[in-house]
Amino acid sequence: VPVATLAQPSSISGQKAQIAQLQYVVNAINYQADAAVNNYDGAMWRLQTAKQQITQNTAAIASSTKQLDVSQGVLATRMRELYATPEPNAVQLLLSSGNITAVVDTVTLVQHIGNEDGAVVAGVRGSLTHLQQARVGLLVAKKTATTQVAAAAQQRTKVIGLLHQQQQVLSSAQASL
């Protein structure tokens, strides 16, 4: 009987050591799984951000394209008008009107039209700049989205693998106990 009593503490301490080792392995797997889940969550957040940027840039491209089309239409009409009826110079205006006030009014009107044409050209330049920036932003956001989809898939696979590994460790421990 004393031999059996001596063997039991030894086997109990051995089982406690095995349980401690098993707990260490399970904790290590849980730590890795938590890190992988956090990485997955981060990738999904960055993916959502990229999707929002894609939506915003797509809308900006549509808006800039529409504004550009309008501005180009205005410029095309103005160019046709200038080609069909060139602007008279001050001498021609004075001779045709015979009134200096009418000449000043006409010159002022021509300057105003010129300023409007300049504003339209500036609008075209601005639309082209916004369009280019939105297109670059769209490409960057699409690349980010693609990268984050891959990163999320990789982390998901890692989590599944770790959970499977944890299940194997627990099954192995259960079988040996």
Side-chain angles (χ1 to χ4, degrees), residues 7 24 27 35 40 42 45 48 53 56 72 102 114 117 125 146 155 166:
Y24 174 79
N27 287 343
Y40 174 83
W45 180 82
Q48 282 303 106
Q53 290 172 344
Q56 291 170 351
Q72 286 175 332
D117 290 347
R125 286 184 182 141
T146 300
Q155 292 305 315
Q166 183 183 41

Side-chain angles (χ1 to χ4, degrees), residues 7-74:
Q8 284 182 352
S10 164
S11 73
I12 290 175
S13 65
Q15 287 178 350
K16 284 183 180 180
Q18 287 177 342
I19 290 171
Q21 179 64 25
L22 179 64
Q23 187 65 43
Y24 174 79
V25 170
V26 169
N27 287 343
I29 292 171
N30 285 339
Y31 177 78
Q32 291 174 0
D34 285 345
V37 166
N38 288 335
N39 290 338
Y40 174 83
D41 290 344
M44 292 305 292
W45 180 82
R46 289 185 295 277
L47 175 61
Q48 282 303 106
T49 301
K51 284 182 178 181
Q52 289 171 351
Q53 290 172 344
I54 288 169
T55 301
Q56 291 170 351
N57 286 323
T58 300
I61 287 171
S63 174
S64 293
T65 300
K66 183 177 179 182
Q67 182 60 42
L68 183 61
D69 289 345
V70 169
S71 296
Q72 286 175 332
V74 169

Side-chain angles (χ1 to χ4, degrees), residues 43 53 128 157:
Q53 290 172 344
L128 287 172
T157 301

